[in-house]
Amino acid sequence: MCEEARPRRSRVLVVGATGRLGGNLVSASLSAGHPTFALVRPHHLAVPESAPIRSLTDAGATLIKGSLDDYPSLVEAVRQMDVVICAVPTKKALEQKPLIRAIKEAGCVKRFIPAEFGLDPTKVQICGMDHGFYGKKIEIRRLIESEGIPHTYICCNLFMRYLLPSLVQPGLDAPPRDEVKIFGDGNTRGVFVKEADVAKFTICTIEDPRTLNKTLYLRPSGNVYSMNELVDLWEKKINKFLKKIHITEEQLLKNIQGKFEVLQIISTS
């Protein structure tokens, strides 16, 4: 008696695979048994011995030459895929437009996961000081939905490597041992996640009908902490109480605005 044929695993294309998150997405996809492809720009392929390229090939990914600036290469790559995941930095969010057009033209992609991977841009309030950071993501969402492309948005909040190594202290590379700045009352809680975990959850969504055309929020209960809770954990670890310097919301916004104005002057001089 013949064995029942197993369903074919989705073919996954990762755009931005040479980045930290992109590399983790490739690894998670391969671990889940998906034929996995990485769209790699020509200048990266020209140095096959480089660490990012070696890590992709060693993991078993198939490299495809192409870029967001080369529309024909996008169409050619996308036509071979079931799932496309984009992990480019947010500053390049609008550069996903040709990719979305290619997905629409190809007509075969069953799931597109755009470069979100942060706070939900439709819910965050940033006092008009984000320099279009979230507006770009909203614009991409509207384009995806207007084109009727099947999608999932991944909102994972904060990558812990940005803030936890310094205990959320701007300018520091390690947690303080004498005094610590507490922003606001210190009770607002944040969600801190690792790229590897985000990648695994992302790959879990690509064949799950429950996540189709939905937003997936990653909020592991053990990864949710306030500033006060983080400081308390650190004090217990080093067996020492730190001096707390409380910074009000108004002062923090003033400090940020002041630095932004200095950067504007430097960039235009």
Side-chain angles (χ1 to χ4, degrees):
M1 186 174 179
C2 296
E3 291 185 9
E4 184 178 349
R6 293 182 179 180
R8 180 178 70 85
R9 302 310 302 270
S10 296
R11 293 164 64 89
V12 177
L13 175 68
V14 178
V15 180
T18 55
R20 187 187 296 260
L21 176 60
N24 278 292
L25 286 163
V26 168
S27 297
S29 179
L30 288 166
S31 295
H34 296 285
T36 305
F37 303 78
L39 189 74
V40 180
R41 288 173 288 179
H43 72 271
H44 278 306
L45 283 176
V47 190
E49 69 278 8
S50 67
I53 297 300
R54 269 204 325 273
S55 65
L56 293 173
T57 54
D58 290 349
T62 300
L63 306 187
I64 298 179
K65 182 168 71 173
S67 74
L68 295 175
D69 299 323
D70 182 354
Y71 185 72
S73 74
L74 292 178
V75 176
E76 182 179 354
V78 167
R79 279 178 175 159
Q80 307 173 52
M81 305 300 156
D82 302 302
V83 175
V84 177
I85 305 174
C86 191
V88 298
T90 297
K91 64 181 179 181
K92 296 184 178 181
L94 297 184
E95 295 180 26
Q96 296 176 98
K97 289 184 177 182
L99 178 60
I100 294 170
R101 184 157 56 97
I103 291 171
K104 180 71 173 181
E105 180 177 331
C108 59
V109 173
K110 300 175 183 177
R111 190 79 61 105
F112 175 48
I113 298 179
E116 288 254 349
F117 305 107
L119 300 173
D120 187 335
T122 66
K123 299 182 182 299
V124 69
Q125 296 181 355
I126 203 70
C127 302
M129 298 168 66
D130 67 328
H131 320 305
F133 186 91
Y134 294 104
K136 294 174 183 177
K137 291 185 176 182
I138 292 174
E139 185 175 342
I140 290 299
R141 281 194 182 194
R142 289 173 177 164
L143 180 59
I144 292 169
E145 292 162 14
S146 68
E147 294 290 356
I149 293 173
H151 61 272
T152 300
Y153 304 134
I154 307 294
C155 293
C156 59
N157 297 286
L158 302 170
F159 289 137
M160 61 176 61
R161 67 183 173 91
Y162 291 132
L163 296 174
L164 285 190
S166 68
L167 203 65
V168 199
Q169 300 298 294
L172 296 186
D173 297 322
R177 288 182 170 270
D178 297 307
E179 62 182 35
V180 60
K181 293 179 180 177
I182 305 291
F183 303 105
D185 62 11
N187 293 322
T188 300
R189 307 186 92 193
V191 185
F192 302 89
V193 293
K194 292 176 62 175
E195 283 97 334
D197 293 334
V198 172
K200 290 176 184 177
F201 279 113
T202 298
I203 297 303
C204 285
T205 71
I206 64 178
E207 293 180 340
D208 189 337
R210 296 172 299 176
T211 62
L212 183 61
N213 298 329
K214 300 286 178 60
T215 299
L216 177 69
Y217 297 96
L218 300 184
R219 295 173 180 166
S221 58
N223 295 50
V224 182
Y225 285 93
S226 70
M227 188 76 192
N228 287 333
E229 289 169 332
L230 289 174
V231 171
D232 182 61
L233 286 172
W234 178 239
E235 288 178 329
K236 289 178 180 177
K237 184 174 181 62
I238 64 175
N239 195 28
K240 178 182 178 180
F241 288 107
L242 303 180
K243 177 182 178 182
K244 280 79 171 178
I245 301 175
H246 288 269
I247 308 295
T248 65
E249 178 180 347
E250 293 75 13
Q251 184 59 50
L252 177 61
L253 292 174
K254 183 178 179 180
N255 292 344
I256 294 173
Q257 185 62 43
K259 291 180 180 179
F260 174 57
E261 290 173 351
V262 170
L263 289 174
Q264 280 187 312
I265 293 172
I266 293 174
S267 63
T268 57
S269 61

